[in-house]
Structure formats: structure tokens, C-alpha cells
Amino acid sequence: MTGRRHHHILRTALRPRLPLTKARVLSAGALALCVSTAAGCGVVPGTAGGSGDGTVKVMTWAPEGTGTTNKPGMPAMAKAYARWVNKHGGLDGRKLQVLTCNDDNDTVSAANCARRAVEEGVVAVVGSYSQHARSFFSPLEAAGIPYLGGYGVTDDEFTSPLSYPVNGGQASLLAGLGRQLARTCGPVTLVRPDTVAGDELPVLLDSGLTAAGHAASVDQRAAEDASEYAGHARRALQRVSADPREEGCVIPALGDRTDIFMDSFRRTREEYPAVHTASVLGSVDQSMIDATGGTYEGAYVTGWYPASGDARWKAMRAVVRAEAFGDNRIDVGDPGVQTTWVAYTVLKKAIESLGDGEVSARTLRRTLDDGLEVSTGGLTPTLSWSLPNLLAASDFPRMTNADVTFQVVREGRLVTERKGFVDTSGVLEHTEA
């Protein structure tokens, strides 16, 4: 996950976690209030899609034009999907209307986006990115609006009963990266921000390493806003290359400073024995690899989905070519764009499952909660949020998909390193992040 705030991935709100049973009681109360008042709950009673004219209205939000993390491709992908689906019969005959909102990487803007979603009567927020779950979930929960297919950047996305995540968030990526590196690496050093939130990263990485029988990583803290990392690169190289018989691995996890670290690393690594680098998709993507001239060659990368060149993305690429040709906001290799595609795939299947019935926030939640199974064409395992399909993990009770993919940079391209998905649920169920 790119951006200076990348390290605020699992607990954006550093507060004591409510017990799950209490959180569910509070949310149930909010839902009961929504039902009793019937106002702002995603639909006008007795009509379809919240508009009365057979239109399904949803919202997609993400930060754009900020100095930190930006995901303009996600709302752009949502708009392209709407144009495409409406040209091909809509959602089971209903027109799809997508509203977009810029959360500005700001708590006030994120809350405003959520309040606008309530005021507009959307039936769901779909395929979105925001680091400010504490701000946006409260209005959504009060109105009973489901949050379908968030990026997985906050822990609230894996605890709120109105959240329907399509991937395993940063937790699955780091646990998966640990498993990926345990098979090939000697000593491992994690270079990460010296912040309270950054303290969670080694816990998740080590959960994957130790589960696979590897020693825990060396936790190397660094300033998150440094202008150069030559000293940190040298220290990491010294640690992972201390034993020439073992080829170690260095993992930079510094948000948008990762590139700065890798520039220092590239200039320093020639003084030391060969080592590998590694990261997670979102911190490193194909566009970054293209721009660095081989710096990431041989790097191990863990992702949520198949590599962007995989044939399973053919349908998404076709939609982008048809409806967003020349729109450089949409990078088909960006995991945010991919998450938006998967989320709208789920939305389409959920609405089709309702047949001629009412489409509302309430009916969408009900069909998702009651065991609807959604195939995404192999981009994820079959998704279902019924209770038997949720992970038995206290920190991630809404997680239904903990699968990751192992990739590697070869000849300047991210390609599959190991066929198929790797399930990290067993690791996460025994991890206290």
C-alpha cells in the first residue's frame, strides 16, 4: 500500500477494541433505529434501488490529489464499470448509478463522504479506499449501509458487521510474505517506520515466518519522513549478509519512502554479498518497477490476486479498453483498481440474486449475510460472508478471504512465483496483531 500513511494499516484508531459481542450489540441497535425510522437507510420503502425508477445507486470513494496516498483509479474504475454494465443490460435490468467522493486522506472529508452517501440514499459503498474508518463507519452503520469490498487498509473493515471485505487486507499480505520468504531466505530484516502503528508490522510478518519454521525477522526502525536511508540500507545489508552461506532478505516497509530507501539500497548493495528484497503488492507495483530500472529485479512480492498479466483479468482489461481507454488514472496492475473490480463483481451477483425483489441496503445485507456465494472468475476463492465462512480470528472476525498469491520480479515483470493461492487463515487465527 503506497503512501506516507501506509503504516497506518490495521489500527487507524489507536483505541481499546470493543469486545466483538458488544460491537455487534451496538451495531444491531443502530440497525434497529434505521429500520424504525426508514430514513437514510439506502432506499425509500417500496421502491427499488433508492430512486424509484429502477436505478441502483452506490458510492465509491478514495483519496485523490493529496500529498500522501492517492487511489484515483478506484473511482475511475467504478465509473467505467457502470458505463459498461449499463450498456449490457444493467444489473439484472436495473441501471447502475455510481457516485464518487474524494476522502482527501482526511477524517472530516471521510465523514462527509459517508454522510453524503446516506443523504443520497445509496444502497452500498463499493470498492473504496479510506484510512479513516472511525469517521466513515459511524454514519454508514447508523443508516445500515453496507461497506462492500473496501481496500482492507483498516482493522475496522474486519470487525464492523456492515463490512464485507473481498481480500485479507495488510494482515494476510504480511503473514503471507513471511511464509513466502521462509522457503527461500536466510536472515530477514524488516525496515519499517518508528511509530506505534509501525510496531504491528513485524508481528504480522513474524507470524508467517515462524509458522513456516523460520526465525523471526530483525526489526529495524527508521524515521518515516527521512530524505535518505543510506545508513539504514547499510545496516540492513550487514545483518542479512553476516553469514555468506545464507542469502538473506531485506524488506522495506516505509510507505512512499520505500522508493527512497531502495535508491539508497541500490547504491550500497554492491559492497555486500548478494541478498534478496521483498515487499507486498501496493508498496511495490508494476509501474514502480518500470520506473526503477531493475532495482526490484528478483524481489519477492505477496499480493491478494493473480499477477496482473494473468488471463483471469481479461474481462476487466476489456472493460477498461472499452470504457476508459486513455484514462491514465486506471492502472490494471494496481491492487486498488483490482479490488474495485472484484467488489463490483460481487455487487452484480448480489443484486441478480434478488431477482424482481426490492434492492436496498437492507436486502443487500440480508442476501450477503444469508450465505450468498460469489464466484469472481478465479480472482479470489468463492466469497461468502455467512457465519460458517468467516475466519475464527478474534482480530479479524469479518475476514472471509485470507488467500494470497506469491509473485516475483523477473526481467522487469511481476510474474507468478507459485501457482494458486496460499491460505493464511491458520496463521492469522493464532496471531494477536
Side-chain angles (χ1 to χ4, degrees), residues 36 81 98 131 133 207 224 244 252 264 299 305 318 333 355 366 385 404 413:
S36 66
Y81 184 91
V98 173
Q131 300 181 35
S207 68
E224 63 175 336
S264 299
Y305 313 116
R366 186 174 63 195
W385 294 269
V404 297
R413 304 299 301 174

Side-chain angles (χ1 to χ4, degrees), residues 95-125:
K95 180 181 177 181
L96 173 63
Q97 180 183 0
V98 173
L99 308 179
T100 62
C101 192
N102 185 356
D103 98 322
D104 292 315
N105 271 326
D106 176 79
T107 56
V108 174
S109 293
N112 287 340
C113 285
R115 283 192 287 268
R116 181 183 163 210
V118 174
E119 292 166 0
E120 293 278 1
V122 306
V123 301
V125 174

Side-chain angles (χ1 to χ4, degrees), residues 22-112:
K22 184 175 181 181
R24 290 189 182 276
V25 168
L26 292 174
S27 296
L31 293 180
L33 176 62
C34 176
V35 172
S36 66
T37 60
C41 296
V43 68
V44 178
T47 67
S51 66
D53 61 0
T55 296
V56 175
K57 189 187 297 184
V58 300
M59 178 177 282
T60 293
W61 61 49
E64 300 183 55
T66 77
T68 53
T69 302
N70 293 292
K71 291 290 181 182
M74 298 178 74
M77 182 71 246
K79 286 287 193 179
Y81 184 91
R83 291 192 294 270
W84 171 77
V85 82
N86 289 334
K87 288 180 180 178
H88 295 82
L91 300 176
D92 205 26
R94 303 171 177 92
K95 180 181 177 181
L96 173 63
Q97 180 183 0
V98 173
L99 308 179
T100 62
C101 192
N102 185 356
D103 98 322
D104 292 315
N105 271 326
D106 176 79
T107 56
V108 174
S109 293
N112 287 340

Side-chain angles (χ1 to χ4, degrees), residues 136-161:
F136 72 73
F137 262 123
S138 180
L140 294 186
E141 289 182 342
I145 297 174
Y147 189 70
L148 173 58
Y151 190 86
V153 73
T154 69
D155 66 336
D156 302 71
E157 294 170 65
F158 300 100
T159 58
S160 171

Side-chain angles (χ1 to χ4, degrees), residues 383-397:
L383 298 174
S384 178
W385 294 269
S386 61
L387 190 59
N389 291 296
L390 298 175
L391 262 66
S394 59
D395 275 353
F396 317 104

Side-chain angles (χ1 to χ4, degrees), residues 151 173 349:
Y151 190 86
L173 291 181
K349 300 291 179 62

